[in-house]
Amino acid sequence: MVARLAGRVALVTGAGSGIGAASAAALAAAGAAVAVTDVDLPAAEAVAKDLADRGHQALALRLDVASEPAWRDAVAAAADQLGPVTILHSNAALTSPADYAADLGVVDLSVEVFDRVIAVNLRGAVLGCKHVVPGMLAAGGGSIVLTSSVKGSTGSAHRTAYSISKAGLDALARAVATGYGKAGVRCNAIAPGIVLTDALAAVPAAQRAALEDAHLTPALGAAADIAHAVVFLASDEAAFITGQVLCVDGGLTAHTAALSPPGSRVAPGESPGKDRG
């Protein structure tokens, strides 16, 4: 059986951990050669080595997604060593507890924090599209998958810059799909719910329980859940899907929060749907 992505080259950003690492592994398992990129080069190298040890073709590259020269170099290096990039999973984002803590409501949000979040989360994806689309056009087509968030389409009392950046990614997916779809380039976004990554480790138990209750699935998502969706959107099975935002959110945005029933794990005064994503 021929692997569904055999002969294709994927570039994944933020691939040193979490969703990006899971996506790189899933794309490689589906037959793609993978450029594993991250601003943390040792982390990217560890992921690429693991893939190579499992018999996959992988290349580690340092990539600061906010830098256009860095994008030029990364896309050129991937093309030189693996072949033209025909799959992009633009996943890099600022997700550390410190970044979240500094991303406040619009009145209190500093311009410096706003600019930094937009530079990484949104401008990084714009630059990625800018520098991979020409190679995709030359190759006869390609697929771009952006990691958005349910916060791109739902309100939030804080994490203002993050929410705005994710809404921008949804618009970017539509713009790229519209501009290059007839030439064979598809672009979609994935909006995850709460995914169990290292970034969630610092969340207090009571808050995590509230987040779990806000989903309709028995548990929160895993990075592999998002990675499976990335592989699908990158494959020919999704050939008729473009310009869309696919919610992979455990039902988080499919319902409205209600009063907590007796025995609920939601702490007094908390609403599971108050702050989604």
Side-chain angles (χ1 to χ4, degrees):
M1 181 178 178
V2 177
R4 63 210 290 208
L5 299 179
R8 305 185 197 186
V9 176
L11 188 152
V12 182
T13 68
S17 62
I19 291 172
S23 174
L27 291 164
V34 181
V36 180
T37 77
D38 201 286
V39 70
D40 182 348
L41 181 57
E45 290 173 334
V47 172
K49 181 180 184 303
D50 179 63
L51 296 181
D53 289 345
R54 287 188 269 164
H56 304 304
Q57 190 175 8
L59 168 69
L61 296 169
R62 184 184 185 279
L63 174 57
D64 175 359
V65 296
S67 165
E68 185 164 22
W71 267 108
R72 289 196 192 96
D73 292 345
V75 172
D80 181 60
Q81 298 188 51
L82 301 176
V85 174
T86 53
I87 297 169
L88 170 65
H89 180 201
S90 178
N91 171 73
L94 296 178
T95 59
S96 74
D99 291 315
Y100 284 169
D103 192 355
L104 305 173
V106 68
V107 172
D108 300 310
L109 178 66
S110 76
V111 172
E112 291 77 15
V113 169
F114 176 80
D115 287 347
R116 182 166 178 259
V117 172
I118 295 299
V120 174
N121 295 11
L122 181 55
R123 188 174 77 204
V126 173
L127 291 173
C129 293
K130 175 180 179 179
H131 287 281
V132 301
V133 165
M136 291 180 175
L137 295 175
S143 177
I144 297 170
V145 183
L146 311 173
T147 300
S148 182
S149 168
V150 296
K151 278 192 174 292
S153 60
T154 61
S156 177
H158 59 284
R159 291 177 66 189
T160 303
Y162 182 90
S163 299
I164 292 170
S165 73
K166 295 301 185 177
L169 291 179
D170 296 350
L172 176 62
R174 293 186 288 268
V176 174
T178 301
Y180 304 98
K182 289 295 187 183
V185 176
R186 294 184 297 109
C187 187
N188 294 286
I190 293 175
I194 304 300
V195 177
L196 288 169
T197 62
D198 292 342
L200 200 63
V203 174
Q207 184 179 352
R208 177 166 163 172
L211 293 172
E212 290 173 350
D213 283 338
H215 291 69
L216 303 182
T217 47
L220 297 179
D225 294 321
I226 311 305
H228 294 322
V230 171
V231 171
F232 167 66
L233 289 174
S235 75
D236 292 339
E237 295 165 15
F240 201 50
I241 302 174
T242 194
Q244 303 302 307
V245 180
L246 175 63
C247 282
V248 185
D249 69 350
L252 179 62
T253 56
H255 69 115
T256 301
L259 292 176
S260 303
S264 169
R265 292 175 298 171
V266 181
E270 293 182 348
S271 169
K274 182 179 179 181
D275 193 275
R276 293 170 168 165

